[in-house]
């Protein structure tokens, strides 16, 4: 297989120090209390949902397949650093206008992206939503965290200049409806950016690999659940049907591990491998036990075997990272 796509193309102002260690990435994380914001503290609004515990993992609701416990928070923090490395220290593939006043993030997770953007754009108001609460408490005064489900009606009264959605494959049963609401709540000439990872692949294929079994089982379970995985939600036709105009798209092949020759790819690859190994169980446990009637021990056994394949020196695994940028054009 050819070397992965250069991960520094189309990313201005590259910084070699953009990636932290896993320990730095997760330092200081704690769940945010509800209540109103005082200066320098997070503003969290919305209803607090009681978490659901299944198979020793915690979930935000009955539908979303990914957990929301401390183990998942660690993975998300590392994954954020991986995206940061892929984008050469930039928060987004599409440059955010310097005069942006209102920015929205859907599915903020640990809140890292929202906090970073709030620091870069101190005059903008950053609204970051998620279905659960584990964002940091010590944040810039211009970032607001809200518990909200983007599949419900959006009730914002003022439009946004930039809407950011990242890593939510499998989160929504009706992506066209989400895009329609994004269109409705964007300023004219406002931008929507969607980013997601594709399916893990081996650079050196293994016949009847455990990875292929894992990928197939998860895809089947997600389809059965009504919340499909994959990247159909990033198809041009799906986004344009909402009235948005595609500006640009890009795919970066991110190595998993340090096998790539380029030093920057090694850094991104190390982060991506850690997040991937941590994410195998997170992604599959609820899907396979609920929708495919797998036993917990069988899911964990498969995950362990996939980890072994990915760690093989000759495997050269990689994962595609997709970005698509759309704009609300004047009517």
């Amino acid at each position: 297989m050819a070397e992965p796509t250069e991960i520094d193309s189309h990313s201005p102002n590259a910084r070699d120090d953009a990636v932290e260690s896993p320990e730095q990435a997760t330092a200081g994380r704690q769940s945010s209390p509800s209540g109103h914001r005082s200066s320098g503290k997070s503003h969290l609004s919305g209803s607090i949902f009681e978490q659901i515990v299944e198979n020793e993992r915690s979930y935000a609701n009955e539908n979303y397949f990914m957990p929301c416990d401390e183990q998942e928070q660690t993975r998300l923090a590392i994954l954020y650093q991986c995206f940061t490395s892929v984008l050469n220290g930039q928060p987004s593939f599409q440059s955010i206008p310097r005069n942006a006043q209102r920015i929205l993030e859907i599915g903020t997770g640990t809140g890292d992206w929202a906090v970073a953007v709030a620091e870069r754009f101190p005059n903008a108001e950053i609204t970051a939503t998620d279905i659960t609460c584990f964002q940091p408490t010590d944040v810039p005064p211009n970032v607001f965290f809200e518990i909200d489900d983007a599949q419900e009606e959006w009730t914002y009264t003022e439009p946004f200049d930039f809407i950011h959605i990242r890593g939510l494959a499998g989160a929504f049963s009706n992506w066209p409806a989400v895009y329609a609401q994004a269109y409705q709540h964007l300023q004219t000439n406002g931008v929507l950016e969607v980013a997601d990872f594709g399916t893990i692949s081996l650079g050196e294929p293994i016949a009847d690999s455990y990875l292929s079994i894992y990928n197939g089982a998860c895809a089947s379970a997600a389809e059965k659940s009504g919340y499909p995985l994959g990247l159909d939600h990033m198809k041009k036709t799906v986004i344009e049907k909402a009235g948005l105009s595609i500006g640009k798209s890009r795919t970066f092949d991110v190595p998993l591990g340090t096998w790539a020759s380029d030093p920057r790819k090694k850094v991104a690859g190390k982060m991506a491998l850690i997040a991937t190994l941590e994410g195998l169980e997170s992604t599959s446990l609820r899907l396979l036990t609920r929708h495919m009637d797998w036993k917990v021990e069988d899911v964990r056994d498969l995950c362990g075997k996939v980890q072994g394949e990915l760690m093989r020196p000759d495997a050269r695994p990689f994962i595609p990272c997709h970005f698509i940028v759309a704009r609300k054009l004047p009517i």
Side-chain angles (χ1 to χ4, degrees):
M1 190 196 81
E3 285 270 310
T5 304
E6 289 295 330
I7 61 174
D8 56 356
S9 300
H10 300 289
S11 297
N13 305 320
R15 295 202 333 253
D16 286 336
D17 61 348
V19 180
E20 303 171 357
S21 69
E23 292 79 9
Q24 291 172 316
T26 58
R29 299 278 175 244
Q30 57 181 320
S31 298
S32 301
S34 62
H36 298 289
R37 176 177 57 88
S38 59
S39 178
K41 298 297 181 182
S42 64
H43 171 205
L44 182 68
S45 64
S47 302
I48 303 297
F49 298 101
E50 184 176 350
Q51 293 182 351
I52 299 168
V53 178
E54 293 178 11
N55 303 317
E56 302 176 341
R57 302 300 300 265
S58 298
Y59 298 86
N61 60 28
E62 290 288 346
N63 297 320
Y64 189 41
F65 70 104
M66 294 297 287
C68 59
D69 47 25
E70 185 174 349
Q71 184 177 340
E72 176 63 5
Q73 293 175 44
T74 300
R75 187 191 73 84
L76 288 174
I78 297 170
L79 188 63
Y80 168 75
Q81 292 300 325
C82 178
F83 271 108
T84 300
S85 180
V86 169
L87 295 171
N88 282 343
Q90 299 304 305
S92 55
F93 179 58
Q94 171 67 34
S95 298
I96 301 173
R98 295 305 307 176
N99 62 350
Q101 295 297 305
R102 285 173 52 79
I103 298 170
L104 173 66
E105 183 183 27
I106 301 296
T108 189
T110 53
D112 292 293
W113 188 89
V115 170
V117 171
E119 291 172 344
R120 285 178 179 246
F121 298 87
N123 295 323
E125 180 180 289
I126 318 300
T127 300
T129 71
D130 207 298
I131 58 173
T132 192
C133 165
F134 48 61
Q135 292 77 45
T137 55
D138 191 7
V139 300
N142 58 323
V143 61
F144 298 82
F145 293 114
E146 297 180 357
I147 293 180
D148 195 19
D149 187 343
Q151 296 184 107
E152 306 292 335
E153 181 183 1
W154 298 13
T155 58
Y156 306 109
T157 57
E158 296 180 48
F160 295 94
D161 301 291
F162 192 94
I163 298 178
H164 182 255
I165 301 176
R166 175 186 288 180
L168 292 186
F172 304 133
S173 60
N174 188 351
W175 275 94
V178 174
Y179 290 145
Q181 295 209 78
Y183 177 86
Q184 180 182 348
H185 289 273
L186 274 173
Q187 293 268 23
T188 298
N189 291 319
V191 169
L192 168 70
E193 177 171 307
V194 184
D196 243 314
F197 282 110
T199 302
I200 305 166
S201 297
L202 298 175
E204 300 297 332
I206 300 174
D208 301 319
S209 68
Y210 291 113
L211 177 61
S212 65
I213 296 171
Y214 175 91
N215 286 337
C218 288
S220 296
E223 192 70 32
K224 190 174 180 180
S225 76
Y227 293 79
L229 291 170
L231 297 172
D232 283 352
H233 64 287
M234 297 185 73
K235 288 182 176 178
K236 180 179 179 180
T237 53
V238 176
I239 297 176
E240 289 185 337
K241 189 175 181 179
L244 295 158
S245 176
I246 301 298
K248 59 182 178 178
S249 62
R250 185 72 185 276
T251 297
F252 302 91
D253 285 337
V254 182
L256 298 180
T258 58
W259 59 264
S261 58
D262 183 88
R264 178 169 290 279
K265 293 177 185 178
K266 287 182 181 292
V267 174
K270 181 179 180 180
M271 287 287 178
L273 179 62
I274 295 170
T276 298
L277 296 179
E278 288 290 330
L280 290 173
E281 179 184 302
S282 299
T283 300
S284 62
L285 189 57
R286 182 179 244 195
L287 284 175
L288 297 186
T289 56
R290 270 200 173 193
H291 304 290
M292 303 296 282
D293 296 324
W294 284 40
K295 295 180 180 179
V296 174
E297 55 267 30
D298 292 335
V299 177
R300 289 179 172 151
D301 179 67
L302 177 60
C303 289
K305 290 175 177 175
V306 174
Q307 288 180 350
E309 287 184 341
L310 296 179
M311 295 295 289
R312 284 176 49 164
D314 62 341
R316 297 168 66 89
F318 66 96
I319 187 167
C321 184
H322 303 271
F323 294 86
I324 192 161
V325 177
R327 190 179 298 275
K328 181 178 180 177
L329 298 179
I331 299 175

